[in-house]
Amino acid sequence: MNILVLNGSPRPDGNTAAMVEAFAEGAKEGGHIVTIMNVCQKKIAGCLACEYCHTKGNGECIQKDDMQEVYPVLQEADMIVLSSPIYYHSFTGQLQCAINRIYALDKTKNLTKAALIMSSGSNHVYCGAIYEYQNSFLNYLKLEDMGIFSAYGRENKSEEKLKELREFGRSIQ
């Protein structure tokens, strides 16, 4: 299975990155191909709502930025993992821009599964991100939810949490 991880953390060695790496390690051990796109290190603008992609563009976004690196990987992915630290009860702005730009593709040809990985300093901030993931992402793209994983405070980078994510990666069918 081809798995695309959209990592929305601006910190290359932060808590979210550690969770993503643990997941990817387990998934690779399980025989999957994992591509991690660190969207915070890319220049990805927000959607312009111009509808070029659905009128003249034939599924292609009019904006030519680093999202052009994401689209081909997304088209081949069987599973997508959204990962983000949670800021003000939702995803980072950089991840939100990438998610919004998926609209250009409408429905990808292989994508059937999704998962969500989040980190925070508090366990009372996930509601907005979970709502968006379940209602605006899973439902719209008709994806199977493979799981929601979160870590806060001392759980971040704990061996127990990283082990849970490795095992999740290995268990994907």
Side-chain angles (χ1 to χ4, degrees), residues 10 14 16 20 37 44 61 67 69 72 75-77 79 96-97 99 102 107 120-121 129 142 146 153-154 163 169 173:
T16 305
V20 165
M37 294 279 190
I44 299 175
C61 183
M67 194 66 186
E69 298 170 26
Q75 284 287 35
E76 297 304 315
M79 179 177 176
Q96 192 63 62
C97 284
I99 291 169
I102 292 172
K107 306 289 190 241
S120 181
K142 297 181 179 25
M146 300 301 291
R154 291 185 184 149
K163 180 181 177 189
Q173 299 292 319

Side-chain angles (χ1 to χ4, degrees), residues 7-103:
N7 180 10
S9 176
R11 296 181 179 161
D13 297 316
N15 298 323
T16 305
M19 294 170 72
V20 165
E21 287 301 322
F23 165 77
E25 181 182 306
K28 288 174 185 175
E29 288 173 10
H32 304 292
I33 299 165
V34 181
T35 304
I36 300 169
M37 294 279 190
N38 295 308
V39 297
C40 290
Q41 280 73 52
K42 300 197 175 299
K43 300 282 186 212
I44 299 175
C47 177
L48 298 174
C50 67
E51 286 298 324
Y52 176 84
C53 56
H54 294 140
T55 56
K56 300 174 191 152
N58 208 19
E60 186 176 312
C61 183
I62 197 167
Q63 298 185 81
K64 302 303 177 216
D65 57 13
D66 290 345
M67 194 66 186
Q68 302 309 310
E69 298 170 26
V70 177
Y71 286 135
V73 179
L74 182 58
Q75 284 287 35
E76 297 304 315
D78 303 293
M79 179 177 176
I80 187 168
V81 178
L82 303 178
S83 65
S84 182
I86 301 304
Y87 298 160
Y88 295 103
H89 305 275
S90 195
F91 304 123
T92 59
Q94 297 93 327
L95 179 59
Q96 192 63 62
C97 284
I99 291 169
N100 289 351
R101 294 280 297 283
I102 292 172
Y103 176 71

